[in-house]
Amino acid sequence: MPEGPSLVILKEAVYSFKGAKILSASGNAKFDKSVLINKKIIDFKTWGKQFFIQTNNHIIRIHFLLFGSYSIDEHIKPDRSLRLHLHFAKGDIYFYTCAIRFIDKNMLDEYDWEADVMSDKWNAKAAKKKLLFQPEMLVCDAMLNQEIFSGVGNIIKNEVLHRIKVHPLSTIGNLPSTKLNRLIKEARAYSFDFLEWKIKFELKNNWRAHTRKICSRCNLPILKEYLGKTNRRTFFCDNCQVKY
DNA sequence: TGCCATGTTAAACT
DNA sequence: GAGTTTAACATGGC
């Protein structure tokens, strides 16, 4: 569930609830759900891995972390994992094992919408500026930085670096300009490939490095190491990914 | 069956 | 107080 493209799928999936009135709200999320009753859904938004439900009076922020999930109309998980259930005349939305809270009304203005790789507002030049400001940063950390690449997660990180043949331990400052541009471009492009494949249930089939044993390009072993400040699982080909 | 992972935050440290 | 490391959270797939 967690990476940006999956949230875009969610936003599409609940689109028909836009304008609908919440008839009841329940679940074990630790806030007062009664204030949502009889409120209309104004909009659903995503920023990277965060999902927002807007009513006239409130903004609910949902983060799925590692294990979060949702379902529409059917309650498919145990009650204990049900964080929020929104009931409408036309159906139901269920959110499970995620972090949910209200955020301040004007908080949405605080988000850097140009950082969201899935957004129409995505700004590659702004991303480059932020990257060049931290030349010592490792590329494997840079890709997971939500201020720069909001929505990019560990799978996208591994796949993009393999696709552009850049070693995860390269630093931003050492990357040739063409490679840096390519990294920024593919962070978005791969995310849209991810979206397309996920919709078709073909995502895993298309992984070239993530969880793979053999490099699809050179047939040499893919290495698995925990790298960077983020210390996340990193799959890479030591042969065809160049360290800069 | 046990391990561990598409992630983040807050507490506990130095 | 700052910067950092660690623990906590919690489910499902392999």
Side-chain angles (χ1 to χ4, degrees):
Chain A
M1 179 63 214
E3 301 199 32
S6 303
L7 281 270
V8 172
I9 293 172
L10 163 62
K11 190 166 59 177
E12 286 293 309
V14 296
Y15 187 80
S16 65
F17 290 94
K18 218 159 151 173
K21 196 202 289 180
I22 300 167
L23 298 183
S24 69
S26 55
N28 57 20
K30 289 182 181 62
F31 58 78
D32 182 13
K33 290 159 286 282
S34 67
V35 299
L36 295 170
I37 295 168
N38 289 326
K39 299 293 186 295
K40 265 189 188 172
I41 302 289
I42 301 301
D43 205 2
F44 297 105
K45 284 195 167 70
T46 58
W47 184 80
K49 301 167 189 170
Q50 302 184 27
F51 184 66
F52 306 101
I53 303 172
Q54 267 184 293
T55 72
N56 272 327
N57 309 66
H58 304 94
I59 301 166
I60 306 167
R61 194 202 78 164
I62 299 179
H63 199 301
F64 291 91
L65 294 109
L66 217 48
F67 314 123
S69 62
Y70 65 89
S71 64
I72 294 165
D73 294 340
E74 274 185 287
H75 179 30
I76 57 170
K77 298 277 167 77
D79 279 350
R80 67 186 146 80
S81 61
L82 180 60
R83 297 286 174 275
L84 182 64
H85 167 203
L86 297 177
H87 174 61
F88 304 88
K90 59 170 78 171
D92 299 86
I93 310 177
Y94 302 87
F95 295 99
Y96 306 100
T97 46
C98 41
I100 308 186
R101 58 161 129 135
F102 286 119
I103 60 168
D104 203 62
K105 259 184 162 179
N106 45 32
M107 268 285 282
L108 283 184
D109 302 329
E110 307 289 313
Y111 284 86
D112 178 5
W113 298 92
E114 294 188 343
D116 182 353
V117 295
M118 301 306 293
S119 170
D120 294 341
K121 299 193 177 74
W122 164 250
N123 184 336
K125 278 186 184 163
K128 189 169 183 180
K129 208 169 162 183
K130 292 177 207 164
L131 287 165
L132 291 174
F133 200 69
Q134 300 182 71
E136 76 295 339
M137 187 165 46
L138 298 175
V139 294
C140 61
D141 288 331
M143 295 230 61
L144 291 175
N145 186 323
Q146 300 300 295
E147 303 291 318
I148 304 173
F149 298 111
S150 177
V152 168
N154 207 34
I155 297 173
I156 296 173
K157 173 197 82 178
N158 285 326
E159 290 298 311
V160 166
L161 293 179
H162 182 263
R163 185 181 265 193
I164 67 173
K165 300 186 192 174
V166 169
H167 194 287
L169 292 177
S170 306
T171 64
I172 290 296
N174 284 343
L175 282 187
S177 181
T178 50
K179 280 292 182 193
L180 185 61
N181 291 338
R182 188 85 201 290
L183 181 141
I184 295 164
K185 192 179 168 197
E186 291 296 341
R188 177 169 163 91
Y190 182 84
S191 295
F192 278 91
D193 290 343
F194 183 122
L195 172 64
E196 214 171 286
W197 290 327
K198 175 116 185 164
I199 289 168
K200 291 192 260 179
F201 304 103
E202 285 175 1
L203 180 60
K204 288 184 187 182
N205 297 340
N206 283 291
W207 288 344
R208 293 287 170 260
H210 192 77
T211 70
R212 290 301 173 114
K213 298 265 187 276
I214 300 290
C215 175
S216 57
R217 215 156 25 214
C218 69
N219 288 326
L220 289 170
I222 288 280
L223 305 183
K224 177 183 124 177
E225 291 176 19
Y226 293 79
L227 302 180
K229 283 187 176 173
T230 44
N231 201 34
R232 298 290 303 279
R233 208 163 58 135
T234 306
F235 295 90
F236 63 101
C237 175
D238 207 30
N239 179 51
C240 50
Q241 291 177 242
V242 180
K243 193 189 287 183
Y244 294 96

